[in-house]
């Protein structure tokens, strides 16, 4: 990885009828990969995500199947690490997992402890620095008592357990907290597991998993709404018309499909057709709102684009239930406040909420056209992509460490070059 920066400048006139290509869903792809390898299937997954996280997971799973490698460094890829940890716990052989230091601040030990209750042979270096982790794969068995999931734990821990549940002897019962964050991702996992032969039943707050047999079938991955949200942000900020997102369709699997309705509240209209979705800014709709309020407990990945949109609206806003953001690729809540306040000091944290104050009369948004901002990204792909949209209304934006977007949207800078002038100042320009 290299760091460097990228300079973005607005185009004075952006013509309509621009087509944007977004990646397929990373979340669906990662779940399908685990299911495929637990099925011992040779079938290909159609339209598999090209994100860095998915490519990494696929490479690791293939290496474990071929026994060409038994040591895997997941860097700062939380989903890859958690899914791989659960998968290797029941795959015969000895395995070693390593990761970046940032992963020490992200929830992982609760998953290890639950797997150990199920009989997994997992050894950590020590309690403070758990990496590298050594695993000896073996058969796992459910315990008789329910396993309670602590509040504010990442949904990826639950999903990792659900994905391997068909291979666990007995009946595994997980009890979720009253307000489980990112619940749509758990629902996505349940839907996919059951679609391929799993047996997971929901009973109020409980998930009851019975041993079964996966049977993998051909599957075409749909386009990614977590990525589409950044294009919605661009349409809102630039007041753009006729921006077409190729192949984007409605979704019952992806919780971040909610971005369509959320950005509708901000004045971005969506019209779906057989080939994709057409986005248009509607200033009349935007002007009907005096303030914004969004509860993001179910959809925390929409936080960054919504925070930028609400901030640039000039109106007051509150984004609620953001506790899980502290343990993402970076502390997103803290870092977004720091970066947005470089423009105008209007953001602050109140518990697990982001408060954005209304723009003061002394601040003139037109003045931004003469200003250039330098934004840190904290090696966080969603922060980088969100802050880049500000270039549509100012003289220029410099984004540090632009290559971090490869984690979820490798072609992001190529796509936004249709909407902005993109000047690569990084050492290795081939990365784009």
């Amino acid at each position: 990885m290299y760091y460097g920066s990228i300079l973005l400048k607005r185009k004075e006139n952006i013509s309509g009828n621009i087509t944007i290509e977004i990646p397929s869903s990373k979340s669906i792809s990662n779940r399908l990969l685990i299911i495929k390898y637990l099925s011992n299937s040779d079938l290909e997954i159609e339209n598999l995500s090209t994100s860095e996280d998915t490519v990494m997971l696929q490479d690791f799973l293939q290496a474990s199947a071929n026994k060409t490698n038994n040591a895997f460094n997941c860097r700062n890829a939380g989903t890859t690490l958690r899914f791989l940890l659960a998968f290797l716990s029941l795959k015969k052989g000895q395995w070693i997992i390593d990761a970046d230091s940032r992963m020490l601040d992200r929830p992982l030990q609760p998953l290890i402890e639950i797997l150990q209750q199920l009989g997994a042979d997992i050894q950590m270096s020590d309690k403070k620095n758990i990496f590298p982790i050594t695993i000896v794969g073996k058969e796992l068995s459910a315990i008789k008592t329910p396993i309670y999931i602590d509040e504010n734990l990442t949904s990826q821990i639950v999903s990792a357990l659900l994905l391997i549940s068909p291979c666990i002897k007995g009946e595994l019962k997980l009890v979720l907290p009253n307000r489980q964050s990112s619940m749509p991702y758990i629902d996505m996992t349940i839907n996919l597991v059951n679609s391929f032969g799993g047996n997971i039943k929901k009973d109020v707050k409980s998930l009851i998993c019975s041993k079964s047999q996966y049977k993998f079938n051909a599957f075409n991955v749909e386009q990614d709404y977590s990525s589409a949200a950044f294009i919605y942000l661009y349409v809102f900020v630039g007041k753009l018309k006729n921006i077409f997102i190729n192949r984007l369709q409605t979704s019952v699997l992806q919780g971040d499909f909610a971005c369509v309705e959320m950005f509708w509240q901000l004045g971005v209209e969506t019209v779906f057709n057989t080939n994709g979705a057409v986005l248009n800014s509607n200033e009349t709709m935007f002007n009907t709102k005096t303030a914004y309020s969004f509860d993001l407990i179910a959809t925390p990945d929409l936080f960054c684009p919504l925070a930028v949109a609400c901030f640039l609206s000039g109106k007051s806003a509150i984004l609620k239930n953001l506790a899980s953001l502290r343990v993402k690729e970076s502390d997103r809540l803290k870092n977004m406040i720091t970066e947005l306040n470089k423009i105008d000091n209007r953001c602050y944290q109140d518990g697990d909420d982001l408060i954005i104050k209304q723009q003061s009369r002394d601040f003139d948004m037109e003045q931004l056209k003469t200003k250039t901002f330098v934004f840190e990204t904290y090696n966080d792909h969603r922060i980088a992509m969100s802050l880049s949209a500000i270039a549509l209304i100012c003289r220029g934006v410099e984004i540090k460490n632009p290559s971090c977007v490869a984690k979820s949207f490798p072609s992001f800078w190529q796509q936004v070059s249709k909407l902005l002038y993109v000047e690569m100042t990084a050492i290795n320009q081939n990365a784009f």
Side-chain angles (χ1 to χ4, degrees):
M1 180 181 294
Y2 76 95
Y3 293 88
S5 63
I6 194 168
L7 184 62
L8 309 171
K9 296 181 179 179
R10 73 177 185 275
K11 295 180 178 179
E12 292 304 327
N13 295 300
I14 302 174
S15 60
N17 302 314
I18 292 173
T19 297
I20 302 294
E21 304 285 347
I22 64 170
S24 59
S25 170
K26 176 167 72 88
S27 300
I28 295 174
S29 294
N30 290 346
R31 285 159 175 77
L32 287 175
L33 282 171
I34 296 294
I35 294 170
K36 172 186 170 176
Y37 278 89
L38 286 174
S39 307
N40 296 313
S41 172
D42 294 327
L43 290 175
E44 293 297 322
I45 300 170
E46 296 178 41
N47 199 33
L48 188 70
S49 171
T50 57
S51 70
E52 196 173 70
D53 282 8
T54 300
V55 171
M56 183 192 302
L57 180 59
Q58 184 178 33
D59 288 347
F60 292 169
L61 291 172
Q62 187 63 51
S64 70
N66 296 338
K67 298 183 179 179
T68 55
N69 191 12
N70 75 327
F72 310 108
N73 191 325
C74 298
R75 302 202 290 274
N76 191 17
T79 307
T80 300
L81 196 156
R82 295 182 185 107
F83 286 10
L84 187 67
L85 178 66
F87 174 86
L88 294 177
S89 294
L90 46 73
K91 184 171 179 61
K92 289 183 179 180
Q94 181 169 308
W95 314 100
I96 298 170
I97 295 181
D98 209 338
D100 291 351
S101 59
R102 171 62 187 166
M103 279 305 306
L104 296 173
D105 300 321
R106 304 180 66 184
L108 182 61
Q109 283 188 270
L111 174 59
I112 293 173
E113 291 167 3
I114 292 171
L115 289 169
Q116 288 173 332
Q117 289 182 58
L118 302 177
D121 185 347
I122 304 174
Q123 303 296 323
M124 296 171 282
S125 292
D126 58 62
K127 289 185 178 180
K128 289 187 177 180
N129 182 13
I130 64 174
F131 300 109
I133 298 169
T134 302
I135 305 165
V136 177
K138 56 185 290 192
E139 187 176 58
L140 304 183
S141 300
I143 57 176
K144 294 181 180 180
T145 56
I147 294 173
Y148 289 83
I149 305 298
D150 290 341
E151 194 165 352
N152 292 328
L153 274 187
T154 172
S155 65
Q156 293 170 8
I157 287 177
V158 179
S159 287
L161 294 166
L162 295 179
L163 285 167
I164 66 168
S165 66
C167 306
I168 297 174
K169 288 180 62 178
E171 186 176 85
L172 175 67
K173 185 174 182 179
L174 304 177
V175 181
L176 304 180
N178 289 326
R179 287 179 64 79
Q180 170 66 53
S181 65
S182 302
M183 189 64 202
Y185 285 98
I186 295 174
D187 289 333
M188 174 194 289
T189 307
I190 295 170
N191 188 310
L192 290 171
V193 169
N194 287 345
S195 294
F196 294 102
N199 187 356
I200 302 173
K201 296 177 182 177
K202 291 179 70 174
D203 177 19
V204 191
K205 294 187 300 179
S206 299
L207 304 177
I208 302 166
C209 315
S210 301
K211 185 174 173 59
S212 53
Q213 182 69 46
Y214 273 133
K215 184 177 179 181
F216 192 74
N217 299 309
F219 195 99
N220 192 308
V221 182
E222 59 194 37
Q223 304 311 108
D224 184 40
Y225 267 96
S226 303
S227 299
F230 301 107
I231 310 306
Y232 275 83
L233 173 63
Y234 266 67
V235 171
F236 169 75
V237 176
K239 299 179 173 60
L240 305 180
K241 303 286 186 181
N242 294 318
I243 303 301
F244 179 69
I245 304 181
N246 194 30
R247 300 181 62 184
L248 186 69
Q249 298 294 335
T250 59
S251 174
V252 296
L253 281 176
Q254 298 182 68
D256 284 354
F257 177 57
C259 78
V260 175
E261 192 277 332
M262 291 177 178
F263 274 93
W264 179 82
Q265 293 187 46
L266 288 153
V268 178
E269 296 178 305
T270 308
V271 176
F272 292 98
N273 60 39
T274 55
N275 297 315
V278 181
L279 276 53
N280 281 286
S281 172
N282 184 325
E283 290 189 65
T284 302
M285 287 170 54
F286 167 71
N287 290 331
T288 61
K289 282 278 190 176
T290 57
Y292 295 102
S293 178
F294 296 105
D295 187 335
L296 300 183
I297 190 167
T299 55
D301 284 348
L302 297 180
F303 165 73
C304 291
L306 279 173
V308 172
C310 289
F311 182 88
L312 294 179
S313 75
K315 301 173 183 180
S316 62
I318 178 170
L319 276 62
K320 303 176 183 177
N321 291 309
L322 308 174
S324 66
L325 296 177
R326 297 189 182 95
V327 289
K328 296 292 185 179
E329 283 79 354
S330 73
D331 184 338
R332 283 185 185 150
L333 179 54
K334 173 186 174 184
N335 295 336
M336 284 295 288
I337 289 172
T338 298
E339 298 307 309
L340 288 173
N341 281 343
K342 290 178 179 179
I343 301 172
D344 186 24
N345 193 21
R346 295 194 286 120
C347 297
Y348 66 93
Q349 181 177 339
D350 181 13
D352 294 332
D353 302 339
L354 170 66
I355 310 297
I356 301 175
K357 295 186 291 185
Q358 185 173 354
Q359 181 180 304
S360 69
R361 294 180 180 178
D362 297 331
F363 184 85
D364 184 1
M365 194 68 76
E366 284 293 310
Q367 292 176 357
L368 292 182
K369 291 183 178 179
T370 65
K371 294 185 177 181
T372 299
F373 296 95
V374 179
F375 292 123
E376 300 290 340
T377 58
Y378 310 90
N379 198 30
D380 192 322
H381 54 134
R382 301 199 191 282
I383 290 179
M385 291 186 280
S386 296
L387 295 174
S388 72
I390 296 168
L392 288 166
I393 58 170
C394 64
R395 185 181 179 188
V397 163
E398 182 181 348
I399 300 289
K400 297 292 188 68
N401 186 20
S403 62
C404 66
V405 302
K407 183 175 180 65
S408 61
F409 197 157
S411 67
F412 180 76
W413 302 119
Q414 293 171 349
Q415 296 306 312
V416 301
S417 68
K418 301 170 184 177
L419 306 171
L420 293 167
Y421 292 114
V422 178
E423 184 179 320
M424 290 164 275
T425 61
I427 297 170
N428 180 3
Q429 297 187 5
N430 292 330
F432 305 100

